[in-house]
Amino acid sequence: MRYIEPHAHMVSRVTDDYERMALAGCEAVCEPAFWAGFDRSSAAGFFDYFCQLTEHEPKRAAKFGLKHFCWLCINSKEAEEVKLAEEVIALVPQFLDRPNVLGIGEIGLNKNSRNELRVFELQVELAAKYNQLILVHTPHLEDKLKGTRLILDALKSDRRIRPERVVIDHVEEHTVEMVLDAGMWAGMTLYPETKCTPARAVDILETYGRERLWLNSACDWGVSDPLAVPKTALEMKRRGHLAAAIEKVVYGNPKKFLSQSVNFKV
Ligand SMILES: [Zn+2]
């Protein structure tokens, strides 16, 4: 089996994880810019992080034959301070022509606050100005439905944003339909406890079909599993899904969306 991991925070993972992913058939790993598990104190911290994502992490991945791509932004958990966010956003354009950059992400909302929404809109503006793909993080648990609605409204109100160039991540049973109806792509995040388990993700695939949906592990510094995508492929196989259908979800779909960036090649 071959697959693409469209969302993983490899800066938080050990080298063994790269090896295990490569052994499981991973051909490319994509790393959105996110919270590091702690708040950075200045824009300079983000500058170093963007260098790590565009220079150092691709070299770590290459040792295992894995291609590494990334997305750049300031994440919603650190977006409460608008002035800091503006400084970080101003850093992003100088990195956009680096060869492994796919677009702006993961932008989005965390607590659905006014400042988070302001910073989200600034970064949608950035993506529109530089014609970049967009990857969106949706809030957790009880904030998810409202946050997803706010995000979709903001994106739909900007005529420059083409829905097929946006992926809304961490969808669950109660948000997947509104994302697909908006013409955007939907990512299902496979976590051992919260978000989607493999069984729930396959239920969603069986309910909504396989168009514009993908699977990711979103593995990071917390409780998460870098092999969640191939494990979910096994769950599909166990339920009798055909090999071609499995390959479409774990390889064909992410390849189709990501290939809208000229930088993405597998
Ligand atoms: Zn993430």
Side-chain angles (χ1 to χ4, degrees):
M1 178 182 60
R2 60 179 179 172
Y3 76 98
I4 292 167
E5 172 54 79
H7 188 146
H9 300 289
M10 299 309 291
V11 300
S12 310
R13 308 301 309 193
V14 297
T15 303
D16 285 358
D17 291 331
Y18 273 123
E19 185 177 35
R20 290 160 65 218
M21 290 166 77
L23 286 169
C26 187
E27 291 198 357
V29 54
C30 309
E31 177 151 9
F34 195 52
W35 196 49
F38 61 93
D39 288 346
R40 281 158 279 219
S41 61
S42 70
F46 286 87
F47 182 91
D48 289 346
Y49 178 49
F50 297 157
C51 290
Q52 188 179 14
L53 291 177
T54 55
E55 295 168 19
H56 304 290
E57 214 53 43
K59 289 181 200 155
R60 274 183 88 207
K63 286 182 184 156
F64 301 94
L66 270 169
K67 295 205 167 172
H68 178 280
F69 301 92
C70 71
W71 301 74
L72 303 173
C73 75
I74 180 164
N75 64 86
S76 54
K77 280 172 98 86
E78 288 171 283
E80 207 48 68
E81 233 186 285
V82 177
K83 188 173 167 296
L84 172 67
E86 286 172 344
E87 288 172 21
V88 176
I89 291 167
L91 293 175
V92 171
Q94 66 190 290
F95 289 93
L96 289 178
D97 55 8
R98 295 207 173 177
N100 74 329
V101 175
L102 299 174
I104 303 300
E106 55 189 296
I107 58 172
L109 299 174
N110 179 46
K111 296 283 181 205
N112 299 334
S113 75
R114 189 181 294 261
N115 284 356
E116 288 174 16
L117 192 58
R118 172 75 188 128
V119 172
F120 175 76
E121 288 167 347
L122 287 174
Q123 297 193 96
V124 171
E125 176 67 35
L126 181 71
K129 184 176 174 189
Y130 289 92
N131 192 29
Q132 296 289 312
L133 298 177
I134 296 176
L135 189 153
V136 179
H137 165 99
T138 51
H140 300 258
L141 305 173
E142 70 271 14
D143 297 317
K144 186 176 290 290
L145 185 62
K146 185 186 172 201
T148 304
R149 283 205 185 106
L150 287 168
I151 286 163
L152 291 181
D153 286 347
L155 290 166
K156 284 195 273 188
S157 69
D158 191 326
R159 289 168 158 234
R160 297 167 300 174
I161 303 300
R162 283 161 44 203
E164 69 276 15
R165 290 173 58 82
V166 179
V167 58
I168 307 288
D169 217 330
H170 318 318
V171 300
E172 292 179 27
E173 290 85 347
H174 58 311
T175 57
V176 61
E177 196 168 7
M178 65 173 83
V179 171
L180 295 175
D181 284 350
M184 297 173 194
W185 286 68
M188 288 182 281
T189 295
L190 307 156
Y191 267 12
E193 289 149 19
T194 58
K195 298 197 172 87
C196 281
T197 58
R200 279 173 61 197
V202 181
D203 287 346
I204 291 173
L205 287 168
E206 289 172 350
T207 307
Y208 294 100
R210 293 182 291 268
E211 293 304 323
R212 283 184 285 119
L213 275 162
W214 78 30
L215 303 168
N216 61 70
S217 75
C219 59
D220 58 10
W221 37 265
V223 177
S224 48
D225 180 1
L227 295 183
V229 171
K231 286 178 185 172
T232 305
L234 264 186
E235 171 67 11
M236 290 180 76
K237 190 175 177 186
R238 192 185 68 78
R239 293 196 197 184
H241 291 248
L242 298 175
I246 299 169
E247 165 144 323
K248 175 176 168 57
V249 173
V250 300
Y251 187 82
N253 279 1
K255 183 176 179 218
K256 184 175 177 188
F257 177 84
L258 297 166
S259 295
Q260 295 181 92
S261 162
V262 292
N263 286 343
F264 187 81
K265 294 181 192 83
V266 280

